[in-house]
Amino acid sequence: MSSFQPVRGTRDLLPEAHRGHRHVVETARRVAETYGFHEVATPIFEFTDIFARSMGETSDVVSKEMYSFTDKAGESITLRPEYTAGICRAVISNGLTQALPFKAFAAGPMFRYERPQKGRQRQFHQIDLELIGAGEPEADAEVIALAFDILAALGVAEKCRLEINTLGDAESRAAYRTILLDYLQAFRGDLSEDSRRRLETNPLRILDSKDPVDREIVGGAPLLADHLTPAAADFFQAVQERLARLRIPFEINAHLVRGLDYYTHTAFEFVTEALGAQGAVVAGGRYDGLIAELGGPQTPAIGWAGGIERLALLMGDPPPAPRPIALVPVGAAAETTALGLARRLRQAGLIVDWSYRGNPGKRMKRAAKLNAAYAVLIGDDELARGSATVRDLDSGAQEEVPLDRLAARLGAHG
RNA sequence: GCGGGAGUAGCUCAGUUGGUUAGAGCGCCAGAUUGUGGCUCUGGAGGUCGUGGGUUCGAUUCCCAUCUCUCGCCCCA
């Protein structure tokens, strides 16, 4: 039994769970298309370098969470931990910087070597949105509004809160980093062990610490908002105005930072209290430096990723499977007829199922279990008359229908 | 990677102060019912008590390790 365990942090998506995932993806795709986004798919793995360079060597994802391996040609390959880097690479690879803005929607599995919890797996699934080649605040507002519209369409918007912040431009960030470090150095001895480490790796992260002592120290820290360049401050203001105009409710969280190096300006998260420690369901931001960092032309961009498992958990019960029509042949001759009849009905667009064996009682039980809308019974009597008995499984009403009118009769109600 | 909790049938769980054949409900299969489901009745299958080792005459029970899930941390979607 234990040898049939799936690999840690992976799971099978059986029909009911898969319907939940599919509903998330289909809803997101439909809404994204109304904003003029088109779906793409990039490879599930890339050269390790793509992720290492884009996300930053010191980020947790790169330093300890990547599924990397050496292929038979000796290349270091990594299963993608996120979509953004791969899509940016694709933009450069395909010369799409000549056709900006490029608006991409994508969905698929991601891989991170982490300790699993509810809503956190080693193979998980994300929906992803990237708007590449637009540096205007309208782009930020629309990308965030699009995420909000998806959450609303999924019926989970009221369980989520939108937090936004700005990380400023490179200039603002560098200046603030120095100021913040000066301040924090004075408290070095009081900071948590994690935060002392972060002084070296990513001091901005300390702003987001959950340690109570850290929080107290951070409470008195200088704010990035007070050290933005005028241009960065104006941009953040413009984004807020546009969100307000779109009536997207948000709050500013000055301590919202990002673990990945490539973010600039707008950072945002849709968070929920309903998933324990895994509060972020959609998160993203602007990354104006990434494409240049990867070797392409300087190109502004903004995007986000949403966790499909987390969204499905918030959603609760997935939509029910569509109701089939159950065929119930009685007798050997009817069995043969049913085989062809099933195919004709399917070609007419109906969902048709049958249980292949058992007496009519068993087959009717099976039909009820499949939540069939109708049972179509065929026996010697019906065969002789070229008809079938259609039973409405909700009302129990039955009528005999000529075979050539069967599809129309079932289609009208199916 | 760090710290806590849990693991008994497909599912939800009971139980064994260490002692022969480990139980229930639901689900599954079959029969009552080879032309009619959701109700009912009867019967049946299904468990190396997560895995490995130790202690013991004897371990599902005690001890150790390990795996998986889970809660928190780190980090993130």
Side-chain angles (χ1 to χ4, degrees), chain A residues 8-154:
Chain A
R8 182 177 204 193
T10 67
R11 60 181 53 171
D12 303 307
L13 288 174
L14 301 180
E16 190 180 9
H18 199 275
R19 273 199 304 281
H21 279 221
R22 203 169 73 174
H23 184 243
V24 170
V25 174
E26 286 176 352
T27 301
R29 177 187 295 125
R30 180 167 45 75
V31 176
E33 283 174 351
T34 67
Y35 277 78
F37 284 74
H38 297 281
E39 186 162 13
V40 300
T42 64
I44 228 166
F45 46 59
E46 298 272 353
F47 291 119
T48 298
D49 187 49
I50 293 291
F51 301 116
R53 275 164 53 208
S54 68
M55 303 174 84
E57 300 281 358
T58 59
S59 71
D60 272 52
V61 171
V62 171
S63 61
K64 62 181 200 192
E65 295 175 2
M66 294 209 303
Y67 268 97
S68 299
F69 62 94
T70 303
D71 72 8
K72 292 183 181 182
E75 302 281 5
S76 178
I77 303 294
T78 295
L79 267 36
R80 63 184 181 199
E82 55 135 36
Y83 234 130
T84 304
I87 289 178
C88 287
R89 191 233 80 225
V91 163
I92 299 169
S93 301
N94 295 284
L96 300 180
T97 48
Q98 301 294 312
L100 300 178
F102 181 63
K103 300 166 78 171
F105 169 79
M110 303 293 156
F111 305 85
R112 291 184 197 173
Y113 194 89
E114 292 189 280
R115 183 141 172 183
Q117 280 182 37
K118 187 191 281 298
R120 156 183 289 173
Q121 297 160 219
R122 289 184 172 183
Q123 176 179 342
F124 60 106
H125 299 80
Q126 285 186 336
I127 50 176
D128 185 273
L129 192 93
E130 311 292 348
L131 201 181
I132 292 165
E136 292 74 14
E138 286 75 16
D140 302 55
E142 284 213 326
V143 160
I144 293 171
L146 170 43
F148 180 85
D149 289 347
I150 291 170
L151 296 175
L154 291 172

Side-chain angles (χ1 to χ4, degrees), chain A residues 207-277:
Chain A
L207 297 174
D208 211 15
S209 176
K210 289 176 187 168
D211 182 273
V213 177
D214 287 356
R215 287 177 101 89
E216 202 167 314
I217 294 169
V218 162
L223 291 173
L224 174 58
D226 298 328
H227 297 274
L228 294 172
T229 61
D234 287 349
F235 186 84
F236 190 41
Q237 192 59 42
V239 171
Q240 291 175 55
E241 283 167 8
R242 281 151 186 77
L243 283 175
R245 197 169 305 158
L246 292 174
R247 299 188 204 289
I248 306 295
F250 66 89
E251 49 195 77
I252 294 173
N253 175 357
H255 293 157
L256 175 65
V257 293
R258 306 266 63 164
L260 306 182
D261 283 2
Y262 55 61
Y263 285 105
T264 57
H265 290 290
T266 313
F268 61 93
E269 285 183 5
F270 287 88
V271 297
T272 180
E273 311 299 328
L275 297 180

Side-chain angles (χ1 to χ4, degrees), chain A residues 327 329 333-344 346 354 356 378:
Chain A
L327 246 44
E335 203 88 38
T336 309
T337 302
L339 186 64
L341 180 60
R343 185 147 184 255
R344 282 201 302 284
R346 288 162 180 156
W354 58 323
Y356 306 108
I378 323 166

Side-chain angles (χ1 to χ4, degrees), chain A residues 324-329 334 337-353 373-379 382-383 385-392 397-414:
Chain A
I325 287 151
L327 246 44
V328 180
T337 302
L339 186 64
L341 180 60
R343 185 147 184 255
R344 282 201 302 284
L345 294 175
R346 288 162 180 156
Q347 285 169 338
L350 298 168
I351 301 171
V352 181
D353 207 347
Y374 296 94
V376 174
L377 294 111
I378 323 166
E382 286 90 345
L383 278 182
R385 290 192 290 269
S387 65
T389 296
V390 174
R391 180 179 176 90
D392 182 321
Q398 275 185 202
E399 62 177 309
E400 192 163 340
V401 178
L403 286 180
D404 57 6
R405 295 226 310 268
L406 191 55
R409 169 66 184 81
L410 294 168
H413 294 70

